[in-house]
Each structure stands twice: as structure tokens, then as C-alpha cells.
Amino acid sequence: MRCPKCGSRDDKVIDSRQSRDGSSIRRRRQCLKCKYRYTTYEEIERSDLRVIKTNRTHEPFDRRKLAASIAKAFEKRSTSLLTLEDMVDEIVHELETGGREVPSSVIGARVLEKLRGIDEVAYLRYASVYQRFHDVDQFVDAIHTLGRRIKPNALQRELFPPETMKENANVARRSREGAIKNHGRV
């Protein structure tokens, strides 16, 4: 490492610790010639990911584009920015360990998988764009598919909970029966 003050290549590491986010190592160094102290960061050199689009063109992977599309799905939802960032980090890490080129369909599938476990409304928003819903029937099918699965997150309410649907049907039936029984009575 070259000293930023005198340019000497002789230095020693005084302190070494992991950065706050855990993705790099922070090192305090001291130049042996001029005794100047400075900080360096060491991190993994990531290979450049390339996205293979559906029309077979290639483009560099853009983390900001991924984060923006996910943020759009979460728009006006009560999900923290930290959750969104963690989700993007997980997806990027999975993509980087998978190879240098990744089809856009794989990225979309990973996003949908993560969204499904976090927020069903955000999942439907993203799916409607990613899967290119052309009519209402496709949207309804996606909602029914969501309704059939077992929910991993007990804090999130079902879009169409089965017990509520049955309870509403029972209340409606009882009110009809009561109206028929009391018909004409004051």
C-alpha cells in the first residue's frame, strides 16, 4: 500500500476489524517512513454480472434498477426500507454466487419468491408487471393461488380468509332466515 502523504510503500497494519455492514475489512495503517496514519478498506472483488434479457440481448446488472422495481411494488405499503434493502442484498448475493450471466426470468422469479413471503399485495403488484397480466382473469387466478397456500407470516392477514368467508355467509343466511320468520310482524 502506498502512503497517501509521502508515497512510501513501507507500512504496518495497526488495527484490523470488520466494517459495520460486514462486507469489508477496515485496516488502520501507519507509514514506516513518515509515521502518517491512514485507513484502508479491503473487500471482495465482485465479478460483473450480466443480465440476459428476454429478447436475448445482454446488459450489465443494475442493483438500483432491481431496488427501484421492488420499491415500486412496496409503494404505500407498511414495509420498512431496511426490509427492502435486506431483500435486495439477499437476491444480489444469490445471483452473484450463481454465475456471471443470469437470465432476467431468474431475477424475476427470485423477487417473486421473496415478495410472496413478505407482502402479498406487493407480490401481486410485482407479478402483474413481471408476468404481464393481460386481463382480470389472470389477476384473479393469481389471487386464488395466493389464497390456497399456507401463510408463513402469521402477522399478515389473508387477502380472502376462508373462515371469514364462511362466517359472512352464515351471517347472511341467518339474517335471511330471521327476515322470513318475522315477515309481517311488528
Side-chain angles (χ1 to χ4, degrees), residues 140 143-144 147 158-174 176:
V140 171
I143 291 171
H144 286 297
E158 289 282 344
L159 287 175
F160 300 108
E163 59 275 352
T164 306
M165 300 288 273
K166 289 176 188 173
E167 186 178 306
N168 289 343
N170 288 337
V171 168
R173 184 179 42 78
R174 277 188 245 124
R176 277 194 310 270

Side-chain angles (χ1 to χ4, degrees), residues 47-52 58-67 88 91-93 95-96 100 102 107:
S47 63
D48 292 334
L49 273 176
R50 306 241 347 128
V51 178
I52 304 169
H58 291 67
E59 71 177 41
F61 175 76
D62 188 359
R63 179 190 172 97
R64 289 174 296 182
K65 193 173 176 182
L66 175 65
V88 171
I91 292 169
V92 169
H93 177 70
L95 294 174
E96 286 177 342
R100 292 186 56 130
V102 60
I107 297 171

Side-chain angles (χ1 to χ4, degrees), residues 16-27 39-43:
S16 187
R17 62 180 72 169
Q18 209 173 35
S19 66
R20 287 188 181 134
D21 62 357
S23 64
S24 61
I25 296 175
R26 177 183 181 270
R27 297 194 195 282
T39 304
T40 60
Y41 291 91
E42 179 181 315
E43 60 184 35

Side-chain angles (χ1 to χ4, degrees), residues 16-17 24 52 63 67 76 78 80 101 104 122 130 138 167 169:
S16 187
R17 62 180 72 169
S24 61
I52 304 169
R63 179 190 172 97
K76 296 184 182 177
S78 61
S80 72
E101 290 187 344
S104 60
Y130 171 69
Q138 289 177 319
E167 186 178 306

